[in-house]
Amino acid sequence: MRWMKPFLSVLVMTMSLVLTKPILSQAQNPPPREQPNSCVSCHLEDEDLAEPVKAMANDIHAKNGLSCADCHGGDPTAGLDGDADAAMDPTKGYIGVPDRTEIPRFCGRCHSDPEYMRQYNPRLPTDQLNRYKTSIHGKRLARGDEKVATCVDCHGNHGILKANDSRSPVYATNVPKTCARCHADSDYMAEYDIPTTQVEEYENSVHGQALLKRGDTAAPACNDCHGNHGAAPPAVPSVMYVCGQCHVNNSEMFQESPHKEAFAEQDLPECETCHGNHGIKHPKDEMLGVGPESICLECHDEGEKAYEVAAKMYVDIDSLKTAIFRADSLVKIAETAGMEVVDAKFSISDARQFLIKSRTMIHKLSVEDLEKLSKEGMKKAMEAYAMGVAALEELQFRRKGLALSTIFIIILAIGLYLKIRELDQKTQFQEMELGD
Amino acid sequence: MVERDKTLQKDRTGQGTAKSALANQAGRTANWLLERYHVQGILDFMSHKTVPMHRHTIWYYLGGMTLFFFIVQIITGMLLLFYYKPTAETAFESVQFLMTKVRFGWLIRSIHSWSANLLIATAFIHLFSVFFLRAYRKPRELTWVSGVLMLFLAMGFGFSGYLLPWNELAYFATKVGTEIVRDVPLIGHTIMKLLRGGEDVTGATLNRFFAIHVAILPATFFLLLGFHLFAVQLQGMSIPISVEKSQKKIKLMPFFPNFLMRDLLGWTVALGCLAAIAALFPWELGKKADPFAPTPMGIRPEWYFLFMFQTLKILPAKIWFLEGELLGILGFGLIGILVIFVPFIDKASSRGELNRWGTIFGLIAIGYILLMTGVAYM
């Protein structure tokens, strides 16, 4: 370890510079340029105690000029002679390592103080502690359950990164893994009697694939539906609002549908009843209708009006989808043959928009409204198909035109050739002497 | 039977009378013109004009072929002008409209684009054939100079016309192309600004390129073409030195109608090929230019600029104390000037001596152009 000494000395000097800046004076007065810090120097002397100091090199607090004493209390200017008790004197506000149940309040001393936090980041919320208290984690902690997550379990303690830093455990793409540390551990969660397959299901869901495979941070992670500091499972009546944060139109359509009242009567979670929750899959048109993959048939039987509605809605959607596919295939053939089909492609794009709108409209369960939209889409798809047909007819016309003009040009060339031969036979070519 | 024969004879006599009446009318019109315009001397000259016949006669047709493609360019270019709107907002849409809504619009544009490329190709072949046959030697020095200048102008036509549809490929190729101009010492930046109409390729650049393409270049080209054709008619075709040395006498072909008919046959074949290529491989329009989009991969100029583009690409950043790209530009500039003055450099050919160094340089140039173009496409 002797070789590490020069590096550690540099680290000590650096950390001393960074960590000795007092909280309030950092914002109000310029900190002293060099100030000895007994926390850093002592902790680095012992390998077992060095970890927090090393981790602080990347910590957001350290970067903002906060020192060990700003969280843990004590006097870092004392104890430089080796008297650790002088530095860790409770009369000088030394707290030491907070008790696990005290951690939220420990962090909340600063993070719940809007005036104080404004100095560093005016946009940062300061209601985390209050929200935490409303969360399942917070409530259980208040009852003395120390197994639940506190601030440090998700954010870390020394070496905390900003939430928008992709290395942070609370960065969007890392959230499922962070939650899974406890929620996917069946032994750890055994006493709570809740499933531990949520993260695994989520990873294979349409949301999980978008976030984790494609890196689309607009896709929801655990906290987007459950909340982060105020994490709790959404109650049945609030499911629609949770999904409606992103799926606004679907949510509004549902509000107007007969399902709204029916689900409320039976205490069914709105979106979740048909789409599921953590393992939600990309919806298929076959979920509608009366086929083998139909979800409608889970509640409705043949002979009911809803059965007919489901069948009719599926036919409308499927017909539009087929018409778009037909038009698109034809236009692609024309395009591959070198025809300009930009207008047809615009029409196909319009038809696809109507298909998307129609798929949203099914949440309203209104056959008339759906029919109106799908008819508009059909019109666009038929337009595109007609343009595709016209393009292929034009292609045939061009081919025939090319063949005819080629024949004409060949005949003309042969005629010219014969005429040249005839001319040459009649011509008396002169001769010219060359040379000097 | 006798009656029918009489009727037929009467009909034939009628046809004969009609033909002779037409000939009389044509003769009268010709006389009317000759009375007013004293061009009898020119007509006599033309009727006695001959073309030498030897093993290299085939190369004489390349000039006419290039002229044919130029005529096609003029006609199709004028037709395109009916629809083309030269602003950044409307250029792409107007070409798109022409290609999708106007009857045969796609064909006209396709012919214009393909013919431009064939024109450059035949012009290059024409230049090299004249070079290898030493047809530039005294007294045809200025014919060569005008021809080389026309080739440069044709490349200018290509460069300016490429931007006009305002599509993505053209936009970025023009950006790269005009940026290269900036490296010319002292005047480079000014020329670039002059070409672009500012620091960047914008709608102002499009306006300028349009003006250059349809007014400045054609006017200059027509002057040079007029001189070139006049010189060719006046001085006739050059007989290659090798033919002069190896043959004692050669046959002469009347220019009118024998050579002209052969030219027409060549033009007919060229038209057939052009129509087939234009119809089978319509010139694509691509995506509309977006100045804020990142430069797409694989941007390169038209094939006839590729050997220069590729050379500039492979040159090291620094050669001695000069920037590599600058040295490349200066090098090509110098080569261009040397090509113009070839007849004045090669004195031996004018004395009727075959300068083998010229042939070697010509072959090296062809090899280099082909190699660099090939590398650029790989």
Side-chain angles (χ1 to χ4, degrees), chain B residues 66-344:
Chain B
T66 312
L67 177 65
F68 167 74
F69 287 125
F70 182 70
I71 294 167
V72 171
Q73 287 306 93
I74 298 296
I75 296 168
T76 52
M78 284 193 291
L79 291 174
L80 291 175
L81 274 178
F82 284 121
Y83 290 94
Y84 181 69
K85 293 172 186 167
T87 69
E89 293 74 31
T90 54
F92 182 85
E93 284 76 8
S94 66
V95 179
Q96 197 173 53
F97 177 82
L98 175 92
M99 289 179 71
T100 53
K101 305 278 185 233
V102 180
R103 195 81 176 139
F104 296 115
W106 65 275
L107 187 62
I108 300 295
R109 178 171 179 256
S110 192
I111 287 178
H112 192 74
S113 304
W114 277 110
S115 174
N117 284 277
L118 292 172
L119 184 152
I120 304 261
T122 51
F124 262 111
I125 301 170
H126 182 42
L127 176 125
F128 276 108
S129 66
V130 171
F131 179 82
F132 285 119
L133 297 175
R134 309 293 190 276
Y136 51 75
R137 67 187 189 278
K138 189 182 171 185
R140 296 179 180 82
E141 296 96 327
L142 293 181
T143 316
W144 167 270
V145 172
S146 60
V148 173
L149 291 178
M150 276 195 290
L151 175 65
F152 291 164
L153 287 183
M155 290 166 86
F157 266 118
F159 187 65
S160 55
Y162 196 49
L163 178 70
L164 299 188
W166 199 247
N167 57 24
E168 193 181 54
L169 209 65
Y171 176 84
F172 286 103
T174 306
K175 208 170 171 179
V176 174
T178 46
E179 235 156 46
I180 292 171
V181 177
R182 190 170 51 184
D183 291 337
V184 175
L186 302 172
I187 51 167
H189 190 242
T190 313
I191 296 177
M192 187 199 79
K193 273 177 74 178
L194 201 70
L195 278 172
R196 288 184 172 180
E199 288 291 344
D200 280 317
V201 176
T202 59
T205 320
L206 183 67
N207 287 146
R208 287 186 181 213
F209 273 45
F210 178 66
I212 292 169
H213 193 76
V214 303
I216 298 168
L217 288 178
T220 323
F221 199 93
F222 272 119
L223 282 176
L224 288 167
L225 182 64
F227 171 76
H228 195 80
L229 292 177
F230 172 73
V232 169
Q233 291 306 316
L234 200 67
Q235 296 173 324
M237 304 295 196
S238 157
I239 300 166
I241 296 172
S242 59
V243 174
E244 278 182 343
K245 285 192 182 299
S246 61
Q247 286 178 233
K248 291 216 182 265
K249 54 184 174 183
I250 54 168
K251 279 185 180 175
L252 296 173
M253 180 199 302
F255 179 84
F256 184 83
N258 300 54
F259 186 81
L260 197 63
M261 290 291 270
R262 282 172 166 79
D263 245 351
L264 278 177
L265 176 60
W267 291 19
T268 310
V269 173
L271 179 68
C273 294
L274 178 62
I277 297 170
L280 292 173
F281 309 103
W283 205 265
E284 285 183 11
L285 181 57
K287 282 199 288 185
K288 187 177 178 174
D290 177 5
F292 300 108
T295 310
M297 291 291 285
I299 282 293
R300 58 181 175 211
E302 287 278 63
W303 61 269
Y304 39 87
F305 290 115
L306 268 184
F307 70 96
M308 291 189 271
F309 182 71
Q310 187 61 28
T311 306
L312 296 182
K313 256 173 80 174
I314 58 168
L315 279 175
K318 279 268 178 204
I319 301 173
W320 197 23
F321 65 92
L322 283 170
E323 276 184 37
E325 198 165 288
L326 174 64
L327 200 71
I329 292 164
L330 291 175
F332 281 120
L334 184 69
I335 291 168
I337 294 167
L338 287 177
V339 171
I340 295 172
F341 290 105
V342 156
F344 307 102

Side-chain angles (χ1 to χ4, degrees), chain A residues 338 340 342-343 394 397-398 402 409 412-413 416-417 419-420 423-424 427 429-435, chain B residues 53 96 100-101 103-104 106 239 247-252 254 257-258 261-262 265 268 272 275-276 280:
Chain A
E340 184 64 51
V342 67
D343 285 344
E394 171 71 13
F397 173 75
R398 288 181 190 185
L402 175 65
I409 287 168
L412 186 66
L416 278 168
Y417 175 73
K419 185 71 186 167
I420 289 166
L423 264 174
D424 285 355
T427 308
F429 289 102
Q430 298 172 42
E431 287 196 337
M432 186 173 82
E433 298 283 338
L434 293 175
Chain B
M53 290 170 77
Q96 197 173 53
T100 53
K101 305 278 185 233
R103 195 81 176 139
F104 296 115
W106 65 275
I239 300 166
Q247 286 178 233
K248 291 216 182 265
K249 54 184 174 183
I250 54 168
K251 279 185 180 175
L252 296 173
N258 300 54
M261 290 291 270
R262 282 172 166 79
L265 176 60
T268 310
L280 292 173

Side-chain angles (χ1 to χ4, degrees), chain A residues 366-386:
Chain A
S366 162
V367 173
E368 293 76 28
D369 288 338
L370 177 65
E371 201 175 68
K372 207 170 140 192
L373 274 178
S374 64
K375 270 186 179 166
E376 289 287 322
M378 286 293 265
K379 206 171 128 191
K380 288 285 171 192
M382 297 308 282
E383 265 175 35
Y385 186 81

Side-chain angles (χ1 to χ4, degrees), chain A residues 160-376:
Chain A
I160 294 173
L161 299 168
K162 279 178 129 180
N164 60 8
D165 186 320
S166 61
R167 296 167 300 169
S168 164
V170 293
Y171 182 72
T173 52
N174 299 329
V175 165
K177 217 182 284 175
T178 302
C179 300
R181 286 208 300 255
C182 300
H183 283 274
D185 186 338
S186 49
D187 293 336
Y188 193 81
M189 298 301 291
E191 66 186 90
Y192 299 108
D193 197 26
I194 57 171
T196 50
T197 54
Q198 302 99 320
V199 177
E200 194 186 336
E201 285 172 24
Y202 170 81
E203 281 170 352
N204 295 314
S205 74
V206 63
H207 295 141
Q209 293 286 309
L211 180 70
L212 306 173
K213 286 268 157 62
R214 298 206 306 271
D216 179 359
T217 50
C222 317
N223 59 319
D224 291 298
C225 299
H226 293 281
N228 33 33
H229 301 102
V236 167
S238 59
V239 167
M240 186 196 71
Y241 299 109
V242 170
C243 303
Q245 291 177 101
C246 301
H247 302 280
V248 183
N249 292 331
N250 303 38
S251 171
E252 279 174 8
M253 294 293 161
F254 185 86
Q255 292 290 308
E256 296 174 36
S257 80
H259 272 166
K260 170 77 183 164
E261 209 181 309
F263 281 27
E265 275 171 16
Q266 295 182 51
D267 202 23
L268 291 171
E270 297 177 342
C271 315
E272 193 185 326
T273 304
C274 299
H275 293 282
N277 45 27
H278 300 105
I280 186 165
K281 290 278 180 264
H282 196 286
K284 286 196 291 185
D285 293 327
E286 286 68 27
M287 286 164 71
L288 199 64
V290 291
E293 293 179 65
S294 166
I295 286 177
C296 311
L297 298 190
E298 287 178 14
C299 300
H300 302 288
D301 295 319
E302 201 169 352
E304 287 180 41
K305 194 193 167 197
Y307 185 93
E308 283 165 28
V309 168
K312 172 78 174 73
M313 287 201 300
Y314 176 73
V315 168
D316 281 352
I317 296 277
D318 193 53
S319 307
L320 178 54
K321 199 168 70 173
T322 310
I324 292 171
F325 176 76
R326 216 168 127 241
D328 191 42
S329 308
L330 192 76
V331 168
K332 273 189 182 139
I333 293 171
E335 191 179 24
T336 313
M339 301 302 292
E340 184 64 51
V341 286
V342 67
D343 285 344
K345 283 164 98 176
F346 274 129
S347 290
I348 289 172
S349 176
D350 287 345
R352 285 206 176 105
Q353 284 301 316
F354 278 109
L355 181 62
I356 292 168
K357 284 181 187 170
S358 302
R359 282 171 173 157
T360 303
M361 183 57 80
I362 61 169
H363 294 92
K364 193 178 174 182
L365 301 176
S366 162
V367 173
E368 293 76 28
D369 288 338
L370 177 65
E371 201 175 68
K372 207 170 140 192
L373 274 178
S374 64
K375 270 186 179 166
E376 289 287 322

